[in-house]
């Protein structure tokens, strides 16, 4: 089997002990993050100020405690040994070893990376990985970026690297990095640099190889080593894989200079201490940039680099090659190296030729392939032992005592050492619970085993809290994210061919515990109306839903809808399992019963506003009065997701039970069902019953807003907030506190949740995806029984399948060249739209402008925005027309 094939059939394993469960092709991969500084894991400050405690300026000089970072980097699965790229244009004050960006407090719209790089291609076995970076030939404007963004407020756009002028006249380097494997432990790295500018220029290229610092935290911990074997080889003593050799090729007929230092903190530079190593972590940087004697003259250490100095004519390309493998007598470079690259490229083309349907356009194929590449490059080593983090390390100063009562102190069981899919490898280099669920839908096309592992791992004892909660993300593990894991598991199971019931059976008991936690903790009144706080939607409301006015409580349309949705997806998993094991039938009954209770509660507790035909959150004031927060947002659309299609194989057993669900059904006589009132809708043939928290008649009223181009429906998907609020802002008085919201199609103008995201108008892929798939599901099961005006006001009546297909095309169009040749996601940036070296390098943003589709927020959030690849490759999961449960 080739590496590509192996990755699709072998199981993925936890890398904790010996990698016994993981296929060898997984042992090396793109597990090195783009940022490890400024994370919670590295924060040992008294006040939890992660950005200040470990800033970018410390990154080159300070050993990381938990993980490493780099550019175009790879590592072994336990991140003992890392290989990545560094560059120097001869003008910068430091080597370009990692991407630069603004911290949350520095950016006028929160944290914000400034470099330009792209994940262009990848295969799931990591046998083939390609990456591109554009590096200015002028001095990188670190100070200008910080100062100008600091001068701008939240009403102004972010000041980007292109705005500084450093790319004027094309004076930059195009740097392409390719990783390929000859076998699971024979790693080839090729770096090509092209001078895009009009004049000859020089570039220093420094591929790096180093050990993650695992020795500074325990007494007498073993220290690995690198040592020179001459001018072109470095000996590597790997703690798991044994003896390896790092080989470096000549470029321009000259071998590089091998440099060595140690991956230890420069205490003298950072803290003024005399107890500092002779050749610290920044030793190679200081030697190259300013000629200091900070590299080890005997050629040994725990960090090394091959220093190439290239002179390149305008338009010329030069190549640097290195190779990491066990000792071998065969040539490292030359024809054999080229043959491996050619073979792996051909395998990648074959793999995606089979994966991406033949009938998609060339541009859609390009977008899907780069989206899939970003999903693979987003697999990162995540290492965090919360108990150890709170206690501190034996060889280090004790953490401040107040940490035991601060961030994540209740999560002492969490002990992660896993390969996880990250939302964005720079802006969000940690897992996020609901992001991860969406990731698995795209990942399942590439690597079903890895997708399943992501969902299972988060429910394992080293992640899931003993009380049943799932960790949200490391900034606040206790935050509540929408419960979408059961839904994701069903999609993964579907994409994998509906064959792995054991996966669902293993996951369902852990989700039962999580469901019980929701019921016990997020429904404080016991009335089946749920809260949950911001629920991943950040600043969508007029009020910060996680920090309410004193004495009040909030009942949330989305919190309750999510729980109804959770009930139905759990019901559907139980139904799949009950087909082969009757023991799961009781679980089916449990969830259909619970769903009926929630459906009643949503109708009876004031979340539905009959006058407006929409769902709203309701604030309960201390004096007992209630205030509906009449914001037309995606919060009021999410109840549409909580719909299930019941076929005879489910209705039969349920009909024999004299339970709440049967009484719920009996309330509606046949005439009522035929008219589509209540929570039920019967298909004409009587074979299918549709059950939802939204009555069919009410769903039409909600959809009339959703499909209104002056409200939710934008040219590129559904806005998170109705455009109606541009001219009709909402202001409410909540116990003496005035809160307001208006339509903001781009970056947020409020500092709520750090000011680094905006749900007040932009298009967000994950909620669009959920609504789209819900429309398709209902369309396939109801046929032409439910026609609706689309778009609202057009006078055209169409089926839900037509609405869904149009919405799918609108979402995909974010990334495609339109008739004018421009990609909406690039906005008004002409360099990105028109320059041949830029225009086909796709970025996958966190969210998109609600009016013109320009990409906003994090720039490499292929995680959930990577769902576009699923939309291209799997236009409609429900075309089989099943009359049973549908998700």
């Amino acid at each position: 089997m080739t590496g590509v094939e192996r990755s699709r059939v072998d199981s993925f394993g936890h890398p904790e002990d010996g990698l016994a469960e993981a296929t060898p092709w997984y042992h090396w991969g793109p597990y090195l993050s783009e940022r490890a500084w400024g994370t919670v894991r590295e924060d040992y400050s008294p006040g939890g100020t992660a950005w200040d405690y470990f800033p970018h300026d410390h990154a080159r000089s300070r050993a990381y405690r938990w993980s490493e970072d780099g550019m175009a980097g790879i590592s072994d699965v336990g991140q003992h040994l890392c290989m990545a790229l560094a560059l120097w244009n001869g003008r910068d004050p430091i080597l370009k070893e990692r991407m630069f960006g603004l911290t949350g407090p520095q950016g006028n719209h929160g944290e914000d990376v400034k470099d330009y790089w792209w994940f262009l291609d990848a295969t799931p076995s990591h046998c083939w990985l390609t990456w591109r970076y554009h590096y200015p030939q002028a001095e990188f404007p670190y100070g200008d970026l910080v100062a100008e963004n600091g001068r701008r407020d939240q009403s102004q756009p972010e000041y980007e690297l292109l705005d500084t002028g450093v790319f004027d006249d094309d004076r930059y380097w195009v740097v392409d990095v390719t990783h390929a494997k000859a076998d699971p432990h024979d790693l080839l790295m090729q770096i090509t640099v092209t001078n895009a500018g009009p004049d000859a220029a020089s570039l220093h290229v420094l591929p790096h190889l180093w050990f993650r610092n695992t020795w500074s935290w325990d007494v007498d911990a073993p220290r690995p080593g690198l040592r020179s074997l001459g001018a072109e080889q470095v000996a590597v003593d790997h703690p798991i894989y044994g003896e390896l050799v790092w080989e470096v090729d000549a470029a321009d007929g000259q071998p590089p200079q091998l440099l060595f230092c140690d991956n230890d903190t420069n205490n003298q530079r950072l803290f003024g201490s005399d107890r500092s190593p002779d050749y610290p972590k920044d030793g190679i940087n200081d030697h190259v940039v300013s000629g200091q004697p900070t590299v080890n003259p005997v050629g040994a250490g725990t960090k090394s680099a091959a220093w190439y100095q290239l002179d390149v004519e305008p338009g010329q390309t030069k190549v640097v090659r290195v190779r990491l493998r066990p000792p071998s007598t065969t040539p490292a470079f030359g024809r054999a190296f080229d043959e491996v690259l050619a073979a792996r490229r051909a395998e990648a083309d074959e793999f995606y030729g089979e994966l991406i349907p033949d009938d998609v356009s060339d541009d859609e194929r390009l977008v899907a392939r780069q989206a899939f590449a970003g999903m693979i490059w987003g697999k990162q080593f995540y290492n965090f032992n919360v108990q150890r983090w709170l206690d501190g390390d034996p060889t280090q100063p004790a953490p401040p005592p107040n940490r035991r009562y601060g961030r994540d102190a209740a999560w002492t069981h969490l002990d992660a050492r896993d390969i996880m899919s990250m939302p964005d490898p720079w802006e969000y280099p940690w897992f996020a619970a609901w992001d991860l669920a969406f990731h698995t839908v795209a990942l399942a096309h590439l690597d079903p085993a890895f997708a399943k592992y992501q969902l299972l791992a988060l429910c394992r004892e080293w992640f899931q809290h003993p009380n049943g909660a799932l960790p949200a993300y490391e900034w606040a593990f206790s935050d509540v994210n929408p419960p979408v894991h059961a839904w994701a598991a069903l999609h993964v199971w579907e994409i994998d061919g509906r064959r792995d019931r054991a996966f669902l059976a293993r996951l369902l008991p852990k989700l039962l515990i999580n469901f019980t936690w929701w019921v016990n903790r997020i429904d404080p009144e016991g009335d089946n109306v749920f809260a949950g706080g911001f629920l991943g939607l950040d600043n969508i409301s007029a009020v910060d839903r996680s920090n309410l006015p004193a004495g009040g409580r909030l009942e949330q349309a989305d919190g309750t809808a999510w729980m109804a949705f959770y009930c139905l997806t759990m019901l559907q998993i139980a139904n799949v399992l009950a087909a082969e094991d009757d023991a799961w039938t009781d679980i089916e009954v449990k969830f259909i019963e619970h769903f009926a209770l929630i459906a009643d509660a949503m109708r009876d507790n004031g979340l539905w506003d009959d006058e407006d035909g929409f769902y709203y959150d309701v604030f309960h004031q201390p004096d007992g009065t209630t205030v509906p927060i009449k914001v037309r947002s995606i919060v009021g659309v999410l109840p549409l997701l909580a719909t299930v299609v019941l076929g005879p194989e489910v209705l039969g057993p349920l009909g024999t039970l004299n339970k709440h669900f049967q009484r719920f059904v009996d309330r509606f006589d046949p005439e009522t069902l035929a008219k589509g009132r209540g929570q039920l809708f019967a298909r004409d043939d009587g074979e299918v019953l549709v059950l939802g928290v939204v009555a069919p008649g009410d769903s039409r009223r909600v959809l009339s807003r959703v499909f209104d181009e002056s409200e939710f429906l934008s040219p590129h998907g559904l806005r998170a907030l109705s455009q109606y609020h541009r001219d009709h802002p909402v202001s409410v008085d909540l116990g003496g506190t005035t809160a307001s919201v208006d339509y903001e199609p781009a970056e947020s103008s409020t500092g709520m949740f750090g000011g680094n995201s905006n749900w007040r108008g932009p298009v967000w892929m994950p909620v669009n995806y959920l609504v789209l798939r819900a429309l398709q599901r209902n369309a396939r099961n109801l046929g032409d029984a439910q026609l609706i005006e689309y778009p609202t006001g057009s006078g055209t009546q169409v089926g839900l399948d037509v609405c869904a297909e149009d919405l799918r095309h609108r979402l995909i169009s974010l990334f495609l060249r339109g008739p004018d040749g421009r990609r909406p996601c690039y906005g008004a940036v002409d360099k990105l739209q028109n320059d041949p070296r830029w225009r086909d390098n796709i970025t996958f943003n966190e969210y998109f402008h609600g009016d013109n589709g320009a990409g906003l927020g994090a720039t490499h959030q292929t995680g959930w925005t990577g769902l576009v690849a699923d939309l291209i490759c799997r236009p409609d999961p429900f075309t089989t027309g099943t009359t049973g449960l549908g998700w």
Side-chain angles (χ1 to χ4, degrees):
M1 288 186 177
T2 68
V4 169
E5 293 168 334
R6 288 285 297 275
S7 71
R8 292 180 63 82
V9 298
D10 286 353
S11 64
F12 191 86
H14 189 294
E16 181 65 40
D17 296 306
L19 310 169
E21 296 179 56
T23 172
W25 293 102
Y26 284 119
H27 286 198
W28 298 87
Y31 306 138
L32 198 67
S33 179
E34 264 73 6
R35 177 170 66 84
W37 57 274
T39 65
V40 168
R41 283 159 286 163
E42 298 294 338
D43 177 20
Y44 288 79
S45 66
T49 52
W51 291 114
D52 294 332
Y53 183 77
F54 203 133
H56 177 267
D57 185 55
H58 284 203
R60 70 182 182 276
S61 305
R62 187 165 162 182
Y64 295 126
R65 171 62 182 88
W66 296 100
S67 61
E68 292 286 338
D69 59 13
M71 300 201 308
I74 64 171
S75 77
D76 63 85
V77 75
Q79 203 171 93
H80 299 91
L81 187 65
C82 308
M83 182 165 64
L85 173 67
L87 302 165
W88 188 50
N89 56 18
R91 295 178 173 87
D92 288 354
I94 57 175
L95 293 184
K96 175 57 72 172
E97 294 181 77
R98 54 188 53 82
M99 304 302 178
F100 173 73
L102 305 182
T103 68
Q106 285 177 323
N108 59 325
H109 294 284
E111 65 264 35
D112 177 29
V113 72
K114 293 304 181 186
D115 288 274
Y116 295 104
W117 80 100
W118 301 268
F119 305 122
L120 294 185
D121 208 8
T123 53
S125 61
H126 322 127
C127 289
W128 174 258
L129 301 164
T130 65
W131 174 98
R132 176 168 294 169
Y133 176 63
H134 288 177
Y135 182 42
Q137 294 175 359
E139 180 178 340
F140 196 94
Y142 293 103
D144 182 29
L145 289 167
V146 173
E148 179 57 28
N149 280 285
R151 281 191 288 269
R152 298 188 180 193
D153 61 25
Q154 289 181 310
S155 68
Q156 298 171 288
E158 295 167 341
Y159 182 60
E160 305 293 4
L161 188 58
L162 273 169
D163 298 329
T164 68
V166 294
F167 290 102
D168 290 355
D169 301 321
D170 289 334
R171 297 182 187 276
Y172 65 94
W173 300 97
V174 178
V175 181
D176 288 302
V177 175
T178 299
H179 295 284
K181 296 180 185 179
D183 65 42
H185 299 285
D186 186 350
L187 314 177
L188 289 65
M189 181 181 187
Q190 177 173 281
I191 305 157
T192 64
V193 296
T194 301
N195 181 356
D199 301 315
S202 298
L203 180 66
H204 301 250
V205 180
L206 296 101
H208 274 56
L209 186 75
W210 75 99
F211 283 104
R212 177 168 63 91
N213 188 323
T214 57
W215 54 87
S216 291
W217 326 112
D218 290 292
V219 177
D220 298 327
R223 176 188 287 260
L226 306 169
R227 65 186 187 280
S228 172
L229 293 177
E232 298 178 352
Q233 291 188 330
V234 174
V236 183
D237 298 317
H238 194 282
I240 292 179
Y241 303 128
E243 187 178 358
L244 301 170
V245 177
W246 193 42
E247 300 172 85
V248 298
D249 196 14
D252 280 348
Q254 297 295 322
Q257 184 178 353
L258 293 175
L259 307 175
F260 294 83
C261 63
D262 285 302
N263 190 12
D264 291 296
T265 299
N266 186 340
N267 292 308
Q268 198 283 325
R269 175 182 179 259
L270 296 180
F271 311 115
S273 171
D274 293 335
R275 300 184 62 183
S276 194
D278 292 332
Y279 311 109
K281 179 180 177 179
D282 52 11
I284 293 171
N285 174 90
D286 293 350
H287 179 74
V288 172
V289 172
S290 55
Q292 296 183 35
T294 49
V295 293
N296 192 336
V298 303
T302 52
K303 180 180 178 182
S304 63
W307 183 11
Y308 293 86
Q309 301 178 57
L310 305 178
D311 297 319
V312 190
E313 295 297 317
Q316 187 182 19
T317 296
K318 292 195 174 181
V319 179
V320 166
R321 291 174 164 181
V322 300
R323 189 167 187 171
L324 179 67
R325 60 177 179 169
S328 174
T329 58
T330 62
F333 305 105
R335 180 178 177 181
F337 192 102
D338 293 336
E339 288 175 347
V340 172
L341 264 61
R344 293 308 181 226
R345 182 191 298 273
E347 286 179 355
D349 290 341
E350 180 182 1
F351 175 75
Y352 286 109
E354 295 176 357
L355 181 62
I356 302 173
D358 293 336
D359 59 352
V360 306
S361 69
D362 290 343
D363 204 24
E364 287 176 311
R365 184 174 301 276
L366 179 146
V367 170
R369 187 157 174 173
Q370 290 190 33
F372 282 136
M375 299 303 306
I376 294 169
W377 276 95
K379 295 160 67 169
Q380 313 269 286
F381 175 70
Y382 186 78
N383 184 28
F384 192 19
N385 182 320
V386 173
Q387 185 67 65
R388 183 68 177 263
W389 179 70
L390 293 169
D391 291 343
D393 297 309
T395 61
Q396 303 297 314
N402 59 330
R403 285 165 58 88
R404 296 189 174 277
Y405 309 99
R407 177 181 289 136
D408 297 334
W411 291 77
T412 54
H413 73 286
L414 196 146
D415 182 10
R417 192 168 180 267
D418 290 80
I419 303 301
M420 304 295 290
S421 178
M422 300 299 167
D424 181 288
W426 192 94
E427 295 204 14
Y428 304 109
W430 49 76
F431 74 90
W434 84 304
D435 298 59
L436 189 65
F438 293 108
H439 300 185
T440 62
V441 175
L443 285 166
H445 290 272
L446 300 164
D447 193 343
F450 181 72
K452 294 172 197 174
Y453 180 75
Q454 296 300 284
L455 295 169
L456 290 167
L458 215 60
C459 293
R460 293 298 300 272
E461 60 277 6
W462 58 84
F463 277 116
Q464 187 172 25
H465 198 283
N467 66 16
L470 297 182
Y473 40 78
E474 68 180 39
W475 282 96
F477 285 133
S478 294
D479 276 352
V480 182
N481 276 186
V484 290
H485 284 70
W487 166 87
L490 284 164
H491 274 277
V492 170
W493 179 73
E494 164 78 23
I495 293 167
D496 191 36
R498 296 186 168 215
R499 57 193 177 192
D500 192 356
R501 284 181 168 85
F503 157 65
L504 297 178
R506 187 177 179 187
L507 187 63
L508 185 56
K510 303 305 287 286
L511 293 178
L512 280 167
I513 299 170
N514 177 248
F515 184 90
T516 303
W517 174 84
W518 269 82
V519 171
N520 291 338
R521 298 291 296 274
I522 311 300
D523 178 17
E525 302 302 311
D527 59 1
N528 294 299
V529 178
F530 294 83
F534 78 104
L535 280 175
L537 302 183
D538 294 9
N539 61 1
I540 198 164
S541 180
V543 61
D544 182 343
R545 300 193 300 171
S546 293
N547 296 281
L548 299 171
R553 64 181 178 86
L554 193 67
E555 289 185 335
Q556 297 179 207
D558 59 336
T560 308
W562 283 125
M563 279 303 286
F565 182 63
Y566 200 179
C567 276
L568 296 182
T569 51
M570 294 288 274
L571 165 65
Q572 291 165 88
I573 292 177
N575 178 254
V576 170
L577 298 175
E580 295 187 354
D581 185 350
D582 288 342
W584 295 102
T585 302
D586 288 348
I587 301 299
E588 288 185 271
V589 174
K590 180 263 182 297
F591 281 109
I592 197 66
E593 291 280 295
H594 208 128
F595 174 81
L597 293 171
I598 295 173
D600 276 348
M602 282 202 77
R603 185 191 66 243
D604 297 338
N605 284 271
L607 298 176
W608 170 255
D609 187 300
D610 198 55
E611 180 181 352
D612 288 359
F614 208 72
Y615 284 92
Y616 298 122
D617 290 349
V618 175
F619 182 72
H620 292 254
Q621 302 194 96
D623 63 3
T625 59
T626 60
V627 180
I629 302 177
K630 293 195 173 187
V631 178
R632 295 181 195 169
S633 74
I634 206 73
V635 165
V637 179
L638 291 174
L640 295 175
L641 305 181
T643 303
V644 69
V645 180
L646 303 179
E649 77 284 0
V650 178
L651 286 171
L654 289 174
T656 66
L657 301 170
N658 185 24
K659 297 290 186 181
H660 182 88
F661 173 70
Q662 189 58 44
R663 296 193 296 275
F664 181 84
V665 173
D666 290 342
R667 286 207 310 268
F668 303 96
D669 59 38
E671 183 178 353
T672 303
L673 292 179
K675 292 178 180 178
R677 294 202 295 265
Q679 272 72 35
L680 297 159
F681 186 90
R683 204 167 68 182
D684 290 342
D685 58 15
E687 292 295 306
V688 169
L689 186 69
V690 180
L691 175 62
V693 298
V694 187
D698 294 340
S699 69
R700 288 178 175 275
R701 298 181 67 189
V702 175
L703 286 173
S704 71
R705 297 198 186 280
V706 172
F707 296 153
D708 189 333
E709 292 178 308
S710 67
E711 289 216 33
F712 286 94
L713 186 60
S714 85
H716 306 291
L718 302 179
R719 304 175 177 100
L721 191 83
S722 172
Q723 195 181 56
Y724 169 84
H725 292 303
R726 186 198 303 273
D727 299 319
H728 304 89
V730 175
S731 182
V732 292
D733 185 348
L734 305 177
T737 301
T738 300
S740 62
V741 62
D742 61 0
Y743 176 71
E744 298 177 344
E747 290 95 345
S748 173
S749 63
T750 174
M752 192 185 296
F753 287 93
N756 65 344
S757 69
N758 181 19
W759 286 82
R760 296 183 170 185
V763 172
W764 288 79
M765 182 65 73
V767 288
N768 270 266
Y769 185 90
L770 288 169
V771 173
L772 166 63
R773 293 309 193 198
L775 291 171
Q776 291 175 325
R777 180 179 66 242
N778 289 336
R780 291 294 171 253
N781 285 288
L782 296 177
D784 293 332
Q786 192 168 1
L787 298 178
I788 195 164
E789 187 180 35
Y790 185 88
T792 301
S794 67
T796 303
Q797 296 286 323
V798 299
L800 292 179
D801 57 338
V802 176
C803 305
E805 182 63 8
D806 182 67
L807 178 57
R808 186 179 76 91
H809 281 292
R810 290 183 189 230
L811 291 167
I812 294 171
S813 74
L814 283 163
F815 307 96
L816 301 179
R817 289 193 198 172
D820 60 357
R822 299 171 72 87
R823 302 184 190 275
C825 61
Y826 289 155
V829 184
D830 286 338
K831 189 78 169 175
L832 299 177
Q833 295 287 10
N834 301 317
D835 193 306
R837 289 194 172 104
W838 296 71
R839 66 187 182 190
D840 290 332
N841 305 330
I842 311 299
T843 51
F844 298 89
N845 287 82
E846 186 179 4
Y847 53 99
F848 301 87
H849 195 290
D851 296 335
N852 60 40
L856 302 164
T859 53
H860 293 78
Q861 193 148 354
T862 320
W864 62 19
T865 303
L867 287 167
V868 68
D870 178 77
L871 294 178
I872 291 171
C873 294
R874 195 172 61 128
D876 187 345
F878 310 106
T879 52
T880 54
T882 177
T883 59
L885 295 168
W887 51 89

